Amino acid sequence: MTETKGKLIPFYLVVDVSYSMTEQGRLDSANKIIIELVQAFEANPIISDKVRVGLIDFSDDARVVIPLDDLLDLQSIPSLSVRGGTSYGAAFTKLRSEIERNVNELRASNYEVHRPAAYFITDGEPTDTGWEHAFSALTEFDKATQTGFRYYPNVIPCGVGDANPAILATLIHPKGKMKMFLQKEGGDPAKALSAMIEIIVSSTLSSGTNVAQGKGDALQLPLPEDLPADIEMSDGDDYL
Amino acid sequence: MRSVRPVYVLVPHHAGDDAGGVEAMCGRLLEELEELEAVDGGDADLCVAVVGYSWFTRTHLTLRSPGAERPPISLVGAGPFRLGTAATQLCSVIDADHEALLEKGLLATDVTVLIVLTDSPRGDEWESAVHTLASKRETVGLRLIALVSSSVEPQTIEDLRRFADDVLPLAFDSLLTTAGGTFGTSRAESADADEAEFGTLEPETLVVSDAPAVVPSGSSERDVEAAASDTPIFGEPGRSGGILGSSPTEPAWPDSAIDAMELPNASLRAASCRGRSHRFAGTLRQDAYAWRMTGDTLLLAIADGVSSGARSDVAARLAVDLATRILADQLSSGVAGHAIDWDLIVKTAAARILRAAQNVTGESITADNIGTVMSTTLLAAVVTPSDGGSSAVSLGYLGDTSAWRLRDGAWTSLTPLKNDGAAIASSSVSALPTHIEISTIDIDLQPDDALFLMSDGVGDAMGAGTGEVPSRLAELWASPPGLHTFGSHVDFQRKSFDDDRTVMGLWLRDPS
């Protein structure tokens, strides 16, 4: 690299838009994510200079709703709408290709890119089979042999409604470092989603700050005592 | 003159967890105050400020009327609860607010201080600080009320009774009712008969302090006025380019430091500035530098405190002080630059930093878990003049602070490049006292060479030595700039480069 234009941390939101998301106001909550992030970024010039956000939605196929970019440059805030089943495979495949394209572009423009983070938000079980392969392709990387996906993201699953904690537990990556968020049993999915959005926003801000200050662990998740009500955080061990 | 009644709430971080958190608690408090004001009016307007404390103190809400717009309050930070520091800080806040109010033609009467305790305060001689706070009642009407939870020891409660007007049990649901309706019962005496001329005072939002509240990054909206900054701009300044910060919590450790010295064969310039992210968050600069001379030999040291440690400024200061001291000792006892015992320096610094961390936390800290309290990189140089204006330089380095040579407008990195060729950048760093393996290098510099030691706040922008920032700096530093100008250069604006910055530059010349 001849010079460093700057340091960046990419954040991806991967959101389930299967039919069930129209129930109980879940989609309304989900649609608030970008607005809340934009508002938080507006108040924080340090973060908005360093964090790039992208939004992918998935149902039977996956689509890029907001390509990874400076959120404050958004001309309009898109809303999500539902369309079908729940293909985890489509989501992971799209996420992998987006990350690869984005990070390559940023590096080519001389940015120092920190490990991407992906929040995987779903309200149900996968309706496709074989999605485990897509997940491996997204997350496996062997440092010693340099095989796999070197830009693998940190993955934080967020489950509401009928999402299966045991399945989501397998999506935490890396195990032992990241966590997942689950709606508390008997809770309200829309409320749980809103609470998760709070976490996503605050961890985006604090991670961005960490990168700004050169801290060791770029992605910072909340301490258990700072969790909003309605959701619980888990490292997955209870479900595996 | 119009009167106002300030209410200061001193609340521990993590208070009110069982009642929906501090934000909910403070929200209720503000609602209660608003109701109170609506009900009994009074001759003076209520205004309120919220100050949080744990082992550090921070103002989360500057003085404003209860109904005024405000950012949500989100307190982060664990114990120990240094009430002494908080009380001392609160005294300064009260004094500063008093001045600010006077400037607006308002007089603060009947100051109420609500101190919330959810645990017994630890160390730091809080009794004397609270005593100082309480003695303000000699100059201004002050009511000091302590609200204590059941986990506060009886001894603490007894001690509090010596200073407080009242010590009451804490009930998060209704802080004011708990405070026994002390609000609204006493009226501020209008000191000024001219008050009648003002007629009915319209309730208006009374935001008193213009200084932005020092808030934890991440959860509040506030107006950041990007003040015009006259530092050079390299490329895009970004949205944070012109930020000037709120003051650090330790006045003795300022935002920036500069130094300059002329020697027979060299010019030295040094500057250390707080980065924009620390300015924005109102936290301390965590870089430090030091220099010393022994005979003809010049000793330079810079240290970059790792920001995951809240007091890494202490570690950085200790590291540079000890490094230059021990180097001076060795040199004056005849050890040559290339034979320096660097291990002695790192081991001494590591031990000293560990002790300092133990002093700060009062708990047992080991080199492994010290990162959240303090840790630092270190780079030191021994510069010994040799014949004809050349110099022999011995460098010792631990962590990502870097050394560079500038010769004929071209940069050469003397230390390994950080994240060189890495696909994904890592922000992990080697730091004292966890790491004590120091690397060394000896080089010779010619007259008209310049040596630069840099913390990664600037080092990262240098890349491999080519590109926009290195070219601009090579022009600006072709010869030693003035004392203040050098400082301004180091504080250049460049989007996303927000870390604290320190540079020591040494320009060599032939003395003949």
Side-chain angles (χ1 to χ4, degrees):
Chain A
M1 190 183 292
T2 49
E3 68 159 353
T4 319
K5 261 255 192 73
K7 305 179 199 184
L8 291 179
I9 177 167
F11 267 77
Y12 292 90
L13 305 166
V14 183
V15 183
D16 182 341
V17 290
S18 56
Y19 284 133
S20 50
M21 285 291 284
T22 48
E23 293 165 26
Q24 301 162 301
R26 299 173 195 185
L27 200 64
D28 292 331
S29 289
N31 270 319
K32 294 217 185 86
I33 297 186
I34 294 295
I35 298 170
E36 305 243 339
L37 277 174
V38 168
Q39 285 175 342
F41 280 30
E42 271 167 354
N44 194 321
I46 300 285
I47 297 313
S48 64
D49 275 349
K50 309 187 84 88
V51 175
R52 296 282 173 272
V53 177
L55 175 63
I56 294 172
D57 73 6
F58 72 97
S59 172
D60 297 310
D61 66 341
R63 301 181 195 165
V64 177
V65 179
I66 300 177
L68 190 76
D69 206 355
D70 183 345
L71 267 191
L72 297 184
D73 284 344
L74 271 187
Q75 295 301 319
S76 63
I77 299 195
S79 27
L80 299 168
S81 46
V82 301
R83 53 180 185 269
T86 312
S87 170
Y88 279 21
F92 299 140
T93 305
K94 180 62 80 178
L95 180 59
R96 188 196 191 286
S97 68
E98 275 303 286
I99 291 176
E100 187 164 46
R101 192 173 63 83
N102 295 152
V103 178
N104 279 335
E105 273 171 12
L106 289 172
R107 290 182 66 214
S109 310
N110 288 327
Y111 283 98
E112 199 181 277
V113 185
H114 286 252
R115 187 158 303 288
Y119 288 91
F120 181 74
I121 301 167
T122 181
D123 76 336
E125 302 210 2
T127 53
D128 61 327
T129 52
W131 55 265
E132 294 88 337
H133 297 299
F135 187 70
S136 301
L138 172 68
T139 52
E140 271 171 19
F141 179 64
D142 184 339
K143 210 167 165 199
T145 56
Q146 297 278 302
T147 48
F149 187 38
R150 61 187 174 158
Y151 301 152
Y152 71 85
N154 293 322
V155 182
I156 299 108
C158 303
V160 298
D162 296 318
N164 185 330
I167 295 181
L168 289 188
T170 65
L171 303 179
I172 300 176
H173 189 82
K175 301 270 180 307
K177 271 178 122 190
M178 290 297 119
K179 308 263 189 243
M180 67 175 173
F181 296 99
L182 298 170
Q183 169 195 319
K184 274 205 181 124
E185 220 173 301
D188 175 67
K191 280 217 185 103
L193 251 183
S194 294
M196 287 173 193
I197 289 168
E198 261 183 63
I199 294 190
I200 291 174
V201 173
S202 68
S203 70
T204 310
L205 290 177
S206 61
S207 304
T209 311
N210 285 349
V211 173
Q213 298 177 353
K215 283 192 194 183
D217 235 321
L219 182 64
Q220 187 159 62
L221 293 172
L223 299 170
E225 51 263 35
D226 293 330
L227 273 188
D230 306 300
I231 61 181
E232 57 186 50
M233 186 165 73
S234 161
D235 59 9
D237 285 345
D238 292 338
Y239 298 97
L240 293 172
Chain B
M1 203 182 253
R2 209 169 120 203
S3 296
V4 293
R5 281 183 292 154
V7 176
Y8 292 92
V9 185
L10 197 57
V11 57
H13 295 153
H14 283 246
D17 273 350
D18 46 348
V22 172
E23 162 59 28
M25 182 189 84
C26 290
R28 273 194 293 277
L29 169 71
L30 293 166
E31 276 166 29
E32 285 180 49
L33 283 171
E34 241 191 311
E35 275 169 32
L36 207 63
E37 194 155 36
V39 162
D40 73 2
D43 299 329
D45 294 323
L46 278 176
C47 50
V48 58
V50 175
V51 176
Y53 72 99
S54 51
W55 55 265
F56 61 93
T57 301
R58 186 168 286 169
T59 306
H60 291 279
L61 205 65
T62 50
L63 213 50
R64 67 197 60 210
S65 68
E69 238 190 271
R70 64 174 181 91
I73 298 168
S74 167
L75 303 193
V76 202
F81 294 101
R82 302 221 181 276
L83 182 56
T85 312
T88 307
Q89 180 86 328
L90 190 58
C91 280
S92 330
V93 169
I94 292 175
D95 289 336
D97 283 347
H98 193 84
E99 298 287 315
L101 286 166
L102 281 175
E103 274 173 45
K104 293 191 185 231
L106 301 163
L107 181 65
T109 58
D110 258 11
V111 177
T112 305
V113 175
L114 286 179
I115 302 184
V116 177
L117 286 102
T118 53
D119 203 349
S120 287
R122 228 63 93 85
D124 88 336
E125 290 158 36
W126 63 270
E127 292 97 327
S128 99
V130 174
H131 174 68
T132 307
L133 179 59
S135 45
K136 279 190 172 304
R137 53 170 78 92
E138 286 154 31
T139 45
V140 71
L142 174 83
R143 227 161 338 157
L144 187 59
I145 300 166
L147 301 170
V148 300
S149 79
S150 45
S151 1
V152 175
E153 291 159 11
Q155 182 58 49
T156 307
I157 295 181
E158 266 212 44
D159 291 332
L160 281 168
R161 285 197 199 284
R162 286 166 27 218
F163 316 112
D165 293 286
D166 236 326
V167 179
L168 300 161
L170 176 63
F172 285 110
D173 295 336
S174 48
L175 280 175
L176 296 188
T177 311
T178 309
T182 40
F183 293 88
T185 52
S186 89
R187 298 276 181 269
E189 270 198 286
S190 172
D192 202 339
D194 291 339
E195 207 213 7
E197 288 177 14
F198 293 111
T200 320
L201 291 177
E202 292 298 316
E204 69 186 58
T205 55
L206 182 84
V207 179
V208 173
S209 169
D210 285 353
V214 175
V215 291
S217 54
S219 59
S220 51
E221 316 142 10
R222 67 179 175 122
D223 273 312
V224 175
E225 296 218 353
S229 174
D230 50 5
T231 55
I233 300 175
F234 295 166
E236 278 180 55
R239 296 182 187 99
S240 53
I243 280 182
L244 293 179
S246 33
S247 14
T249 51
E250 201 175 302
W253 186 239
D255 175 286
S256 303
I258 49 174
D259 266 293
M261 182 172 69
E262 292 297 325
L263 296 165
N265 70 328
S267 300
L268 173 70
R269 301 288 182 268
S272 182
C273 335
R274 202 158 50 137
R276 278 144 187 90
S277 83
H278 282 156
R279 283 176 181 161
F280 183 75
T283 45
L284 296 175
R285 168 169 54 98
Q286 295 179 319
D287 272 11
Y289 69 82
W291 53 270
R292 222 176 256 266
M293 287 211 70
T294 311
D296 283 342
T297 301
L298 181 59
L299 308 166
L300 309 172
I302 72 174
D304 180 351
V306 181
S307 58
S308 45
R311 289 317 308 263
S312 287
D313 60 298
V314 173
R317 289 189 257 180
L318 283 171
V320 295
D321 186 52
L322 283 168
T324 47
R325 245 182 242 279
I326 297 175
L327 285 170
D329 283 345
Q330 293 192 31
L331 284 157
S332 49
S333 54
V335 178
H338 57 267
I340 294 281
D341 182 355
W342 290 99
D343 281 335
L344 175 63
I345 294 174
V346 288
K347 291 208 171 99
T348 312
R352 189 66 188 84
I353 291 170
L354 205 51
R355 275 214 312 282
Q358 286 160 350
N359 284 344
V360 165
T361 62
E363 285 155 21
S364 65
I365 287 280
T366 65
D368 294 316
N369 62 12
I370 197 177
T372 51
V373 185
M374 56 172 83
S375 63
T376 182
T377 69
L378 174 63
L379 166 60
V382 179
V383 184
T384 313
S386 44
D387 298 328
S390 301
S391 287
V393 179
S394 294
L395 295 170
Y397 56 98
L398 192 161
D400 60 7
T401 28
S402 55
W404 300 78
R405 181 194 73 200
L406 181 62
R407 175 185 288 174
D408 297 328
W411 292 97
T412 304
S413 176
L414 304 173
T415 45
L417 293 174
K418 183 177 160 189
N419 273 324
D420 194 15
I424 291 286
S426 160
S427 18
S428 60
V429 73
S430 302
L432 287 165
T434 314
H435 299 94
I436 50 173
E437 308 79 30
I438 191 163
S439 308
T440 60
I441 184 168
D442 296 319
I443 52 156
D444 287 310
L445 293 180
Q446 301 162 7
D448 296 331
D449 278 348
L451 170 71
F452 291 87
L453 309 186
M454 303 184 183
S455 68
D456 71 346
V458 179
D460 282 354
M462 292 287 292
T466 55
E468 178 158 23
V469 173
S471 324
R472 295 286 304 275
L473 289 179
E475 283 167 35
L476 294 169
W477 293 346
S479 57
L483 165 67
H484 303 273
T485 309
F486 184 71
S488 159
H489 294 163
V490 174
D491 198 17
F492 63 83
Q493 299 178 50
R494 184 171 173 82
K495 185 173 181 179
S496 86
F497 288 90
D498 306 308
D499 204 356
D500 296 336
R501 303 173 184 177
T502 303
V503 182
M504 299 185 89
L506 187 69
W507 287 257
L508 301 182
R509 58 174 173 272
D510 194 332
S512 54

